[in-house]
Amino acid sequence: MKKHVFSLFTAMLLMSMLPLGAHAADNGYGSRVPATVMSYNIHHGVGLDNQLSLERIAGVIRDAGADIVGLQEVDRFYGERSGFQDQAKELAELLGYHYAYGANLDLAPAEGQTENRQYGTAIVSKYPILKSENVWLSSFGKEQRGVLHAVINVRGVHVDVYNTHLGLDVTSRLAQAQEIVDLASASGSDGPALLLGDLNAEPASEEVGLLLNSGLFVNSFEGVEDAYTFPVRNPSATIDYILTSPGVSHANQRVIQTEASDHLPIVAEVVFARKAGR
């Protein structure tokens, strides 16, 4: 018994003599902080079989091991098409995640309902969301678009996450892309950033080029062939993206094959670099 106590005391003493960084690394708080990121247009939870199933969407996210997910086309008490669900909240509960919601359409309640009918984007995260804000983008009389900005604490690294769904015409998308660049530039953050979303534009387009040429973002799928996300069957267009700030490294980028929505989700494994002293 005495030998047991002495061994435990010796182990604790040796641990106390290790550098602080060694403790941090053992607990996953070293200089390199990994995360798995997804962007997914969920088509208000309705799949190609025309069936509404948030459980199926949650299963896609869970199976991919995604820690941070930007969701587009998310209903909140919107109507019968989604069973008047608060979809961001319900998905977060199914996953055991935190969430933030951004309403780009905010309409009067449906007949017999008390909550406003809302439609927009959401971020669900395994890690705590410290704050969030939804900013409307110029939409020129067409369907209102926005960008949901959240700050997420990923193992001590504060990550700026932007999630958006751009418009259907080039003029709108160019204005919206510039406004996202302006917003990210004005954030004052010196930490890593992610821009997730359905940009409704191909990689060679002027609007995607505007985002990449800003110096704020790089395309995590650059050089990945056949990263087509739409339509689900025989996909031929790349319109869904995971962009990151330049200091973020990427690996295992992939498109997930599923008929749970009318878009295919994309996933990338990223690594955030912790700044010295943090």
Side-chain angles (χ1 to χ4, degrees):
M1 182 68 179
K2 288 182 179 178
K3 182 185 284 189
H4 240 7
V5 172
F6 178 78
S7 297
L8 179 61
F9 175 78
T10 304
M12 292 176 66
L13 180 63
L14 288 172
M15 283 296 291
S16 70
M17 295 171 66
L18 287 172
L20 181 60
H23 288 294
D26 287 345
N27 290 303
Y29 289 79
S31 61
R32 292 169 57 79
V33 180
T36 301
V37 180
M38 172 185 282
S39 182
Y40 196 7
N41 181 323
I42 66 167
H43 192 231
H44 51 270
V46 174
L48 291 196
D49 57 4
N50 208 34
Q51 297 300 306
L52 170 67
S53 177
L54 289 185
E55 290 82 2
R56 184 166 54 181
I57 296 291
V60 172
I61 295 170
R62 191 181 298 113
D63 290 346
D67 302 311
I68 299 171
V69 187
L71 302 169
Q72 304 86 43
E73 296 195 13
V74 184
D75 282 358
R76 186 171 188 267
F77 311 121
Y78 190 82
E80 292 182 2
R81 72 181 189 184
S82 51
F84 294 97
Q85 298 167 318
D86 184 344
Q87 293 194 312
K89 181 174 184 286
E90 291 194 27
L91 277 170
E93 289 176 350
L94 285 167
L95 294 163
Y97 279 14
H98 308 272
Y99 78 97
Y101 184 72
N104 295 322
L105 298 183
D106 190 10
L107 310 173
E111 185 175 351
Q113 302 292 317
T114 58
E115 302 284 354
N116 275 14
R117 302 172 61 228
Q118 295 183 334
Y119 174 72
T121 62
I123 295 169
V124 295
S125 171
K126 174 181 176 180
Y127 300 106
I129 297 174
L130 302 179
K131 61 181 180 179
S132 66
E133 177 187 23
N134 192 53
V135 178
W136 281 4
L137 303 172
S138 297
S139 300
F140 306 104
K142 301 178 176 67
E143 181 184 310
Q144 182 62 55
R145 305 289 174 155
V147 56
L148 177 60
H149 175 209
V151 178
I152 299 178
N153 182 355
V154 182
R155 298 180 180 179
V157 176
H158 292 185
V159 182
D160 286 277
V161 180
Y162 302 90
N163 180 34
T164 194
H165 186 187
L166 299 188
L168 297 177
D169 63 283
V170 174
T171 300
S172 296
R173 290 195 297 269
L174 282 171
Q176 292 158 4
Q178 183 59 59
E179 288 169 358
I180 290 171
V181 168
D182 294 343
L183 176 66
S185 298
S187 72
S189 172
D190 62 350
L194 303 170
L195 173 57
L196 314 174
D198 174 359
L199 302 187
N200 274 316
E202 293 274 7
S205 67
E206 185 178 358
E207 45 269 51
V208 173
L210 190 158
L211 292 167
L212 298 179
N213 292 333
S214 70
L216 297 175
F217 301 108
V218 297
N219 185 358
S220 67
F221 276 71
E222 181 70 34
V224 178
E225 294 184 3
D226 302 332
Y228 302 132
T229 59
F230 188 84
V232 166
R233 292 177 184 158
N234 300 314
S236 57
T238 298
I239 57 176
D240 299 274
Y241 294 84
I242 297 172
L243 307 185
T244 76
S245 49
V248 176
S249 61
H250 327 106
N252 198 20
Q253 302 93 320
R254 58 201 184 273
V255 179
I256 295 176
Q257 303 300 315
T258 173
E259 296 189 356
S261 171
D262 65 346
H263 281 240
L264 297 174
I266 58 172
V267 177
E269 294 172 11
V270 302
V271 176
F272 306 118
R274 186 188 307 283
K275 297 193 178 209
R278 294 193 179 180

